[in-house]
Amino acid sequence: FKGHFPKLANLLVHGSGKTLRGTPMTHFIRDSEDQQKFKESIGQRAAGSAGMLTARLRDSMGNFVKVVVFHVQFVSVGGRAHHLVGIREDTDDWATSGPA
């Protein structure tokens, strides 16, 4: 992470005072299968193309939190690729099991 995200830190029970800056997103993803799914989803997107996936994040106590990850890649003025990532807790069954 490039910044401080207190809401994500709270979701993962790290407390709002702890920064996640410098910690790779994959560090919080449950297992290698979900980590690979995340890396592939991020890597397959062209600039301006949005994506979504479900995953389980690991909190500071080792519990799993179901989330939906939204992401889009964009290119900065300097030509570098960046990713905007949004995360919401998955409280809907459809997001992990598919639409009814």
Side-chain angles (χ1 to χ4, degrees):
F1 295 100
K2 293 218 178 219
H4 175 58
F5 303 96
K7 290 182 180 181
L8 180 59
N10 281 337
L11 176 68
L12 298 175
V13 196
H14 287 277
S16 60
K18 177 167 178 174
T19 182
L20 303 178
R21 183 183 306 256
T23 307
M25 174 73 182
T26 53
H27 174 79
F28 301 105
I29 298 177
R30 172 186 70 166
D31 57 31
S32 59
E33 183 179 327
D34 276 358
Q35 289 173 1
Q36 188 63 31
K37 183 171 69 169
F38 174 78
K39 289 176 185 177
E40 287 174 3
S41 184
I42 291 285
Q44 290 176 351
R45 300 287 163 205
S49 175
M52 180 189 94
L53 68 137
T54 58
R56 291 181 191 267
L57 302 183
R58 185 181 314 108
D59 70 16
S60 66
M61 296 183 289
N63 298 313
F64 299 120
V65 180
K66 292 188 325 183
V67 297
V68 180
V69 180
F70 304 91
H71 58 89
V72 64
Q73 180 181 356
F74 64 96
V75 178
S76 69
V77 174
R80 292 189 55 184
H82 297 272
H83 297 273
L84 178 63
V85 178
I87 300 171
R88 80 165 174 89
E89 188 170 8
D90 179 10
T91 56
D92 302 323
D93 288 336
W94 70 267
T96 54
S97 62

